[in-house]
Amino acid sequence: MRTRPLKVALLGCGVVGSEVARIMTTHADDLAARIGAPVELAGVAVRRPDKVRGGIPAELITTDATALVKQGDIDVVVEVIGGIEPARSLITTAFEHGASVVSANKALLAQDGATLYAAAEQHGQDLYYEAAVAGAIPLIRPLRESLAGDKINRVMGIVNGTTNFILDKMDNSGAGYSEALDEATALGYAEADPTADVEGFDAAAKAAILAGIAFHTRVRLDDVYREGMTEVTAADFASAKQMGCTIKLLAICERAADGESVTARVHPAMIPLSHPLASVREAYNAVFVEADAAGQLMFYGPGAGGSPTASAVLGDLVAVCRNKLNEANGPGESAYTQLPVSPMGDVVTRYHISLDVADKPGVLAQVATVFAEHGVSIDTVRQQGKDGEASLVVVTHRAPDAALSGTVEALRKLDTVRGVASIMRVEGE
């Protein structure tokens, strides 16, 4: 074993960073044995130096992150500060000064991963980011390495624990959205401002990363269609149960049937109870992968939190340190297919549409005519009426999203349609 330690700079020491530092210290001997050389925490960059950080020597704490990554003797930089800047500048500076990077920064990778890949390649360094998607679940490396010889056609998953916790509570307790959100907040699953989670921004960033890896093409955050789940109601869950389904906020990345384009989207969807993702409870994450040769695979586990995310970071740290010792590099960006990302309107899916209509003869015929005029085939219809009002639930066959959207707009113009109570896609069939 080499005796000279590999030096690690840690950028950020919050929930995840503090766990990374703790594990590096308490498991130092095991990490050294697995890597083939000891690892040494050479500095920790923070914004608030006066905050008490147990187990980290005061002399390692600095507020000058740029100076830390420019030291010249740093082998690996671990970036867990998040956001776009200064993270992007610090990561590219680390590459320029001979350090590889382990990052958990989903937002930066989704928005400008190409810049980071290019800088890593230019300077002969590694960029690893297992912790950016689905916490402790091994997912990025299986997609980049284990399935590198296969053709991946679809990646569909629950990649945000907060939203899954909320929807799970609504499903199993009958609670409304606000009540379930309050419980998630009280238990620490939801932030004080949960917008990034419940409006799908967090999941969309992860979808961009997954699509890029799975389909060997560049997919940015702006390419991902996004819908939040704040409008999901207890009535939607009741309708889902009548269909033998539940509701999940899904990140879905697909290769077109002709192989000439890809799509990436995040939205709530009904999925059959028989689908493996339907049984994912509480704040857990799970990702379902469909490939030509491997078939169907599912990756499941805790998708957030200090310890799970730190586990993914440390796994990357071990891999990058091994590469350093062997003077080798792991996989870089694979974007050779250069496939275009199709708009949501081209996506073929099913819809569950709940309408409030007048309870009188001819309404169903009018509604059916609108679907036919837009080329959308109806699978099932349920109608209930009382005192001159009725509810009409239509489930369609698969059709382009643009055709379904046009159908809904036309339905809103019918005099007999009082309102569209809910619209939801049906997936996983």
Side-chain angles (χ1 to χ4, degrees), residues 132-219:
V133 181
I137 304 172
L139 180 60
I140 300 299
R141 199 168 302 157
L143 291 178
R144 287 214 293 181
E145 300 179 28
S146 303
L147 296 174
D150 207 341
K151 179 184 178 184
I152 298 173
N153 297 308
R154 196 173 201 233
V155 179
M156 179 171 76
I158 299 162
V159 294
N160 183 278
T162 299
T163 55
N164 199 59
F165 180 89
I166 293 170
L167 293 173
D168 185 51
K169 289 302 174 185
M170 292 177 69
D171 187 19
N172 290 286
S173 71
Y177 167 76
S178 296
E179 183 182 350
L181 174 60
D182 288 344
E183 183 175 353
T185 304
L187 293 172
Y189 290 120
E191 301 287 345
D193 180 1
T195 302
D197 295 323
V198 300
E199 294 294 351
F201 291 101
D202 175 83
K206 295 169 182 176
I209 295 170
L210 292 175
I213 298 171
F215 307 132
H216 304 279
T217 195
R218 285 182 180 168
V219 180

Side-chain angles (χ1 to χ4, degrees), residues 26-102:
T26 57
H27 295 180
D29 291 343
D30 285 336
L31 290 173
R34 294 166 191 170
I35 292 169
V39 289
E40 173 188 317
L41 190 58
V44 182
V46 299
R47 286 183 297 176
R48 294 179 292 169
D50 298 332
K51 181 179 177 180
V52 176
R53 295 176 171 85
I56 300 178
E59 61 269 20
L60 294 184
I61 302 294
T62 179
T63 58
D64 193 343
T66 301
L68 178 60
V69 299
K70 283 184 173 180
Q71 277 185 196
D73 61 346
I74 300 297
D75 296 289
V76 184
V77 169
V78 174
E79 183 270 310
V80 288
I81 56 177
I84 306 303
E85 288 292 353
R88 175 169 47 200
S89 297
L90 290 169
I91 289 173
T92 55
T93 299
F95 291 142
E96 291 166 3
H97 287 78
S100 289
V101 173
V102 172

Side-chain angles (χ1 to χ4, degrees), residues 16 85 112 130 155 168 195 215 220 228 255 283 342 352 365 378 402:
V16 176
E85 288 292 353
D112 200 15
E130 185 68 64
V155 179
D168 185 51
T195 302
F215 307 132
R220 299 180 72 251
R255 188 191 300 270
S342 296
H352 176 284
I378 294 175

Side-chain angles (χ1 to χ4, degrees), residues 12 42 68 89 91 107-108 161 183 218 224 233 280 347 357 360 363 382 390 398 426:
L68 178 60
S89 297
I91 289 173
L108 177 56
E183 183 175 353
R218 285 182 180 168
V224 181
T233 66
V280 178
V347 172
V357 299
K360 62 182 183 181
V363 173
R382 298 197 312 272
R398 290 170 60 82
V426 182

Side-chain angles (χ1 to χ4, degrees), residues 123-410:
H123 298 285
Q125 303 300 325
D126 277 331
L127 173 63
Y128 276 54
Y129 47 90
E130 185 68 64
V133 181
I137 304 172
L139 180 60
I140 300 299
R141 199 168 302 157
L143 291 178
R144 287 214 293 181
E145 300 179 28
S146 303
L147 296 174
D150 207 341
K151 179 184 178 184
I152 298 173
N153 297 308
R154 196 173 201 233
V155 179
M156 179 171 76
I158 299 162
V159 294
N160 183 278
T162 299
T163 55
N164 199 59
F165 180 89
I166 293 170
L167 293 173
D168 185 51
K169 289 302 174 185
M170 292 177 69
D171 187 19
N172 290 286
S173 71
Y177 167 76
S178 296
E179 183 182 350
L181 174 60
D182 288 344
E183 183 175 353
T185 304
L187 293 172
Y189 290 120
E191 301 287 345
D193 180 1
T195 302
D197 295 323
V198 300
E199 294 294 351
F201 291 101
D202 175 83
K206 295 169 182 176
I209 295 170
L210 292 175
I213 298 171
F215 307 132
H216 304 279
T217 195
R218 285 182 180 168
V219 180
R220 299 180 72 251
L221 180 58
D222 292 345
D223 296 322
V224 181
Y225 173 84
R226 177 193 55 79
E227 245 180 68
M229 41 82 66
T230 58
E231 301 300 318
V232 176
T233 66
D236 291 326
F237 275 102
S239 293
K241 287 180 180 179
Q242 289 183 328
M243 291 179 57
C245 293
T246 188
I247 299 171
K248 299 291 186 182
L249 184 76
L250 298 177
I252 304 172
C253 311
E254 293 179 304
R255 188 191 300 270
D258 62 7
E260 297 301 316
S261 64
V262 300
T263 59
R265 51 196 165 103
V266 169
H267 54 73
M270 294 182 179
I271 58 172
L273 295 175
S274 58
H275 194 282
L277 290 176
S279 62
V280 178
R281 301 287 308 279
E282 300 283 330
Y284 278 80
N285 284 194
V287 177
F288 198 73
V289 177
E290 299 177 28
D292 273 1
Q296 297 179 334
L297 308 169
M298 192 166 91
F299 301 84
Y300 169 85
S307 294
T309 306
S311 172
V313 170
L314 267 295
D316 278 351
L317 179 63
V318 169
V320 169
C321 286
R322 286 171 175 169
N323 290 343
K324 282 281 183 180
L325 289 179
N326 293 323
E327 298 183 348
N329 290 114
E333 182 183 30
S334 177
Y336 71 92
T337 63
Q338 299 182 13
L339 295 173
V341 182
S342 296
M344 186 64 190
D346 292 348
V347 172
V348 177
T349 187
R350 299 178 67 202
Y351 261 65
H352 176 284
I353 304 170
S354 180
L355 304 171
D356 295 327
V357 299
D359 187 13
K360 62 182 183 181
V363 173
L364 180 55
Q366 285 184 327
V367 169
T369 297
V370 170
F371 277 90
E373 289 174 346
H374 288 80
V376 178
S377 177
I378 294 175
D379 182 15
T380 62
V381 177
R382 298 197 312 272
Q383 184 173 5
Q384 293 179 321
K386 184 179 180 181
D387 299 330
E389 297 296 329
S391 63
L392 192 65
V393 176
V394 179
V395 180
T396 73
H397 287 292
R398 290 170 60 82
D401 197 81
L404 288 160
S405 296
T407 302
V408 172
E409 290 306 308

